[in-house]
Amino acid sequence: MKTVKASGVGQAIDRVEGHLKVTGKAKYASEFPVENKVFAQGINSTIAKGEIVSIDTSEAEKLDGVLKVITYKNAEKLKTFDKEMTAIATDTIAPVLQSNKVNYYGEYVGLVVAETFEQAQYAARLVKFEYKKDPSAVIKFEESRSKAYTPDNGSNYSRGDMQRGLSEADVVVEQTYNTPIEHHHPMELHAIIASWDNGKVMAYASQQMVDDATIAISSTFQIPKKDVRVVSAFVGGGFGSKLNLERHAILAVMAAKMVGRPVQVTVTRTQMFTNTGMRQQNEQKMRIGAKNDGTLTALSHETLSHTSTNMEYQEPCGMVSKMLYKVPNNEVTYKLIPMNIQTPFAMRAPGEATGSFALESAMDEMAWKLKMDPIDFRIKNDTQTDLHENRPFSSRLLVECLRIGAEKFGWEDRKMEPGTNKKGNWLIGYGVSAASRNSPYQKTYSKVILDLEDDEKVHATIQMDGTDIGTGSYTIIAQTASEYLNIPVEQVSVELGDSNFPVTPGSGGSWGAASYCNGARAACENAVKGLKDNRNIPQEEEVALAELLKRNQIKTFEAEGMAEPSKEFEEYSVFSFGANFCEVWVDKDTGMYRIKRMVNVGSAGKILNPKTAYGQIIGGLTMGAGMVIAEKTQVEPNFGNFITRSFADYHVPVNLDMANIDVVFLPEEDKIANKMGIKGIGELGITSVAASIANAIFNATGKRMRDLPITPEKLIEAEVEEGVSLS
């Protein structure tokens, strides 16, 4: 028997699709060569609330190349919502241009279709709308508190008795933390090329979840799901903004039907502020009670956010507060303000990224009041039981993350008294935060096709409709097939992002790696089992894949597989855990600060590829730093449009903003999570990063920064905390 050396999971190999990307051969949504294609440009409303009273399309329609101007007056009739304030989901319908009502500034009110991109853009500016403004538009968060309501989605939670817990505490921290509206802004703009052919829809679209996109299209147009095909072979980032099907995609499908030609719609960078989702503004009130020895007695997390006036979304900011620490009395509540701004939706680590800023900042404040080391305080309140679900964790190495991170970072050099570590004009501070992220695992189907080449070498092709949003899905799936088929990675091809392929949950929620790879594993195992069963070969007997095909006297063989959570999985809480350490230098005169060092330690199950996993953590840390440094979307208070509408005024972190970064993955294989022991890391990397930086700033300056972003102006104006004595 010939032994085949495989290079499977756990190896830090280069991305298998890397050469396609660097040579420009990887086709993104707007790059597919579709014959007879035309272009369309969406037109945005210029009021926050009201009605369209007249439309003049004549000037646009006279232009050479203009094929159609679509408004509510001539649009295709689509399925609309059955009730007000429908909760948004990843497969929700997306009706557009169905009435003359305007719900927010920037809402699509028209679409121009033309032969060229430039013609469509120019003609869109010539369509004239007259509006009747509604003065009751709600666009000011601070002045709209009286309109807040409690969402009817069962998200409020309590255990024990909060008031009793607070009364039993020796020390109480009660503070409010604010995070602003943020936008996703992946490198690849949202885009789609859509066509109709004999009643069937073909769409090349930039979507994270292909199956849900087919559902949304079929449901919106009321056609059979089997008549919709969505291809999303490569996605240039999403961060949640491409989870659901946005209205530009429905506009493209509609236009393709109306003009009888394929239509490409590319959302502009400015439209990505108004039309492709965003993270909510969150006001989070924390109340924490503790004994003098550091034992937590109570923890309350109240969140006030906003949603749109016609759809509902609630970012689950209190998720981490329900399960991270051992606290008997716990309360998490939510309220939403309906506002005339587009509907917010999931952005990387929705709830955890923002909620952990509040929780881990408050934990640091409590540690300071108790005069305890903030790591010791967290470790004292560690728990191996998820008190929210009343279930044990499948594995939880948070204490190890904190201790190993402290050693790697050099935490022993930290001085507890703020402002005492100095170098020239710089004040140096150390900060820490704990992190957790749910690690879902969902039913996934996959197919493997085996081809025997030259009677010696087997080439395997894995197919599933899962997507690669820049995370390395192609690579880790190829490594999985290599592992379970015992062939080199070079002999594996992976085909993703086509709704004709076996169904997966798509990319999002940190379930991709576990779901995709276990699906591929199941297909590969079934292929080997099937080949052995056909020739009555014992399953435990080791036979090379090429030999199996030859014994079966075939050159091609296909098998499908399905992986899903076990009953044991349902009996545990499955989370990834981590710890962030940060060193910040603050100029005492100007308030300018630099993030000098970051150490991230993660406990995230089996690491399939350390290189791609490292990239995920680096990306998360960068986005977490962006929350602190500059990212903030500002709403114009009179008209409801966004003041920040390009990268010239919505600032994201760049290389010079970032630190020297060390990433440590703890060895862990959680076989309760799934057979391969995989957990999610894509969102763990951003969770609580902002708090570690804010806590470091306090350690440097003695100033508590509770409102993001933390700008030099805010730092200069902030008062030193009571009890801090700066020399």
Side-chain angles (χ1 to χ4, degrees):
M1 182 182 71
K2 183 178 180 179
T3 301
V4 179
K5 180 174 175 56
S7 50
V9 298
Q11 303 297 315
I13 68 170
D14 293 337
R15 291 172 181 259
V16 298
E17 84 286 6
H19 68 285
L20 296 176
K21 291 180 175 177
V22 299
T23 59
K25 294 179 181 179
K27 286 186 172 55
Y28 293 83
S30 61
E31 297 178 325
F32 283 87
V34 178
E35 291 184 2
N36 205 29
K37 179 179 68 176
V38 295
F39 297 83
Q41 175 64 50
I43 305 171
N44 304 93
S45 69
T46 55
I47 63 169
K49 184 180 181 181
E51 296 180 350
I52 302 168
V53 295
S54 69
I55 307 172
D56 183 358
T57 61
S58 59
E59 193 173 353
E61 290 171 333
K62 291 176 185 176
L63 286 180
D64 288 341
V66 172
L67 303 174
K68 197 80 173 177
V69 179
I70 306 172
T71 69
Y72 80 93
K73 291 186 174 183
N74 62 345
E76 290 280 317
K77 296 304 178 186
L78 307 173
K79 181 176 175 57
T80 55
F81 296 111
D82 297 328
K83 63 176 183 177
E84 293 184 3
M85 300 303 287
T86 299
I88 188 172
T90 54
D91 59 357
T92 304
I93 60 173
V96 60
L97 305 186
Q98 296 301 290
S99 78
N100 68 334
K101 292 185 178 179
V102 175
N103 297 291
Y104 56 90
Y105 194 108
E107 184 175 12
Y108 287 123
V109 292
L111 184 80
V112 173
V113 187
E115 293 287 352
T116 70
F117 174 74
E118 291 80 8
Q119 288 171 336
Q121 284 230 315
Y122 179 59
R125 301 191 193 106
L126 302 179
V127 181
K128 296 180 175 61
F129 289 82
E130 289 188 11
Y131 301 96
K132 179 183 178 182
K133 292 183 182 180
D134 187 335
S136 67
V138 180
I139 54 179
K140 297 179 182 179
F141 186 92
E142 290 297 328
E143 298 177 9
S144 307
R145 296 174 183 275
S146 62
K147 300 180 184 298
Y149 70 97
T150 300
D152 185 23
N153 57 11
S155 55
N156 285 1
Y157 166 80
S158 67
R159 65 173 178 264
D161 185 329
M162 267 301 300
Q163 294 308 314
R164 184 181 65 193
L166 290 172
S167 67
E168 292 173 351
D170 296 316
V171 180
V172 173
V173 167
E174 185 170 335
Q175 294 292 348
T176 299
Y177 304 86
N178 294 289
T179 57
I181 294 174
E182 295 177 77
H183 275 85
H184 310 73
H185 285 302
M187 288 291 288
E188 180 204 21
L189 299 170
H190 289 240
I192 181 172
I193 303 173
S195 60
W196 282 79
D197 185 11
N198 293 323
K200 296 185 178 182
V201 174
M202 175 70 207
Y204 299 99
S206 186
Q207 297 293 141
Q208 294 178 227
M209 305 174 76
V210 170
D211 190 56
D212 281 355
T214 65
I215 294 172
I217 292 172
S218 63
S219 299
T220 304
F221 286 92
Q222 295 289 274
I223 59 176
K225 180 173 178 279
K226 64 180 178 62
D227 291 340
V228 179
R229 182 184 177 193
V230 174
V231 171
S232 191
F234 292 93
V235 182
F239 312 117
S241 68
K242 297 173 183 175
L243 288 173
N244 58 318
L245 195 83
E246 292 288 359
R247 282 159 178 76
H248 69 275
I250 296 298
L251 285 171
V253 176
M254 178 191 293
K257 184 178 183 181
M258 294 178 71
V259 302
R261 292 171 64 179
V263 174
Q264 177 174 326
V265 172
T266 302
V267 177
T268 66
R269 184 62 66 181
T270 298
Q271 287 175 329
M272 285 177 63
F273 281 92
T274 54
N275 300 97
T276 58
M278 61 189 185
R279 199 193 291 281
Q280 291 167 302
Q281 177 179 343
N282 294 298
E283 179 185 279
Q284 302 174 71
K285 180 180 179 181
M286 303 296 301
R287 291 182 295 161
I288 300 181
K291 295 287 191 181
N292 284 327
D293 66 356
T295 302
L296 286 171
T297 62
L299 194 160
S300 170
H301 192 152
E302 303 171 22
T303 302
L304 176 66
S305 301
H306 58 92
T307 187
S308 63
T309 57
N310 57 338
M311 297 191 75
E312 183 177 280
Y313 174 72
Q314 170 64 63
E315 185 174 11
C317 298
M319 184 183 298
V320 186
S321 294
K322 293 187 288 190
M323 47 65 61
L324 191 54
Y325 297 112
K326 184 178 181 180
V327 54
N329 305 294
N330 183 234
E331 187 174 72
V332 172
T333 63
Y334 298 96
K335 285 193 172 182
L336 287 172
I337 302 171
M339 296 181 65
N340 292 102
I341 301 176
Q342 71 159 321
T343 308
F345 198 46
M347 182 171 171
R348 193 174 193 170
E352 286 94 350
T354 46
S356 64
F357 167 65
L359 173 63
E360 289 300 293
S361 294
M363 288 290 288
D364 200 76
E365 297 205 37
M366 176 60 81
W368 163 252
K369 282 196 170 187
L370 293 169
K371 300 305 177 188
M372 285 185 70
D373 181 275
I375 294 178
D376 293 340
F377 178 47
R378 287 169 171 82
I379 290 175
K380 183 174 183 62
N381 292 285
D382 184 52
T383 174
Q384 293 298 310
T385 300
D386 181 348
L387 298 179
H388 165 232
E389 297 288 352
N390 195 27
R391 292 190 299 222
F393 290 106
S394 58
S395 67
R396 176 177 163 124
L397 301 179
L398 177 59
V399 170
E400 289 80 358
C401 289
L402 288 164
R403 286 178 171 158
I404 291 170
E407 182 178 355
K408 178 78 173 176
F409 184 77
W411 187 256
E412 72 275 5
D413 295 332
R414 175 185 182 269
K415 298 179 181 180
M416 179 174 287
E417 192 65 32
T420 54
N421 191 358
K422 303 176 182 178
K423 189 170 185 178
N425 217 47
W426 295 100
L427 302 173
I428 303 171
Y430 290 179
V432 66
S433 62
S436 68
R437 167 65 194 179
N438 187 24
S439 292
Y441 169 44
Q442 300 192 37
K443 181 182 288 188
T444 298
Y445 294 87
S446 179
K447 176 191 282 189
V448 61
I449 304 169
L450 304 177
D451 292 299
L452 180 62
E453 303 172 350
D454 302 326
D455 287 336
E456 292 295 329
K457 185 169 67 173
V458 176
H459 187 274
T461 301
I462 300 290
Q463 292 180 337
M464 62 180 75
D465 78 358
T467 53
D468 190 325
I469 55 177
T471 52
S473 297
Y474 281 100
T475 305
I476 60 175
I477 294 169
Q479 289 179 269
T480 299
S482 165
E483 178 86 9
Y484 286 90
L485 295 174
N486 199 30
I487 60 176
V489 168
E490 291 76 16
Q491 292 169 216
V492 179
S493 296
V494 179
E495 297 178 357
L496 298 176
D498 190 328
S499 60
N500 282 350
F501 294 159
V503 175
T504 74
S507 295
S510 293
W511 59 63
S515 303
Y516 296 166
C517 292
N518 276 284
R521 168 194 58 77
C524 293
E525 288 178 335
N526 287 346
V528 173
K529 182 179 185 301
L531 289 168
K532 287 182 176 180
D533 285 346
N534 288 345
R535 306 307 298 171
N536 295 316
I537 300 171
Q539 291 299 319
E540 64 274 11
E541 183 178 334
E542 291 188 18
V543 183
L545 197 57
E547 180 66 20
L548 279 175
L549 286 166
K550 284 189 281 187
R551 290 192 193 182
N552 278 268
Q553 298 180 342
I554 56 176
K555 288 186 175 292
T556 300
F557 186 74
E558 296 185 9
E560 295 192 358
M562 185 272 288
E564 64 181 342
S566 65
K567 290 183 179 179
E568 186 180 31
F569 178 93
E570 304 297 340
E571 295 171 357
Y572 288 81
S573 279
V574 183
F575 280 77
S576 296
F577 293 93
N580 294 292
F581 295 81
C582 183
E583 178 182 328
V584 172
W585 289 31
V586 184
D587 187 290
K588 65 181 181 181
D589 293 328
T590 67
M592 294 291 292
Y593 60 92
R594 294 286 182 266
I595 302 170
K596 287 287 189 177
R597 288 191 301 134
M598 300 176 88
V599 172
N600 175 277
V601 183
S603 168
K606 186 176 185 64
I607 302 302
L608 298 165
N609 184 322
K611 183 175 287 189
T612 57
Y614 175 76
Q616 282 289 280
I617 296 298
I618 293 294
L621 293 173
T622 303
M623 288 186 74
M627 293 174 65
V628 178
I629 295 170
E631 288 194 55
K632 179 180 181 179
T633 298
Q634 293 181 280
V635 180
E636 203 288 322
N638 298 306
F639 299 98
N641 60 324
F642 292 125
I643 299 171
T644 43
R645 61 190 74 162
S646 73
F647 284 150
D649 37 40
Y650 182 90
H651 297 152
V652 296
V654 297
N655 284 342
L656 286 175
D657 293 314
M658 292 308 294
N660 293 318
I661 297 172
D662 287 318
V663 176
V664 179
F665 295 118
L666 300 189
E668 177 188 25
E669 290 188 26
D670 188 340
K671 292 303 180 69
I672 294 173
N674 49 75
K675 286 186 177 181
M676 294 180 68
I678 306 166
K679 292 182 176 180
I681 61 168
E683 290 163 296
L684 182 67
I686 188 178
T687 302
S688 82
V689 174
S692 70
I693 299 170
N695 294 340
I697 288 174
F698 170 74
N699 185 241
T701 65
K703 298 180 179 183
R704 286 289 178 193
M705 306 306 295
R706 304 182 181 98
D707 300 331
L708 297 183
I710 302 173
T711 62
E713 293 85 354
K714 288 181 181 179
L715 257 175
I716 288 296
E717 293 173 359
E719 298 290 336
V720 173
E721 279 294 294
E722 184 179 348
V724 175
S725 177
L726 296 180
S727 56

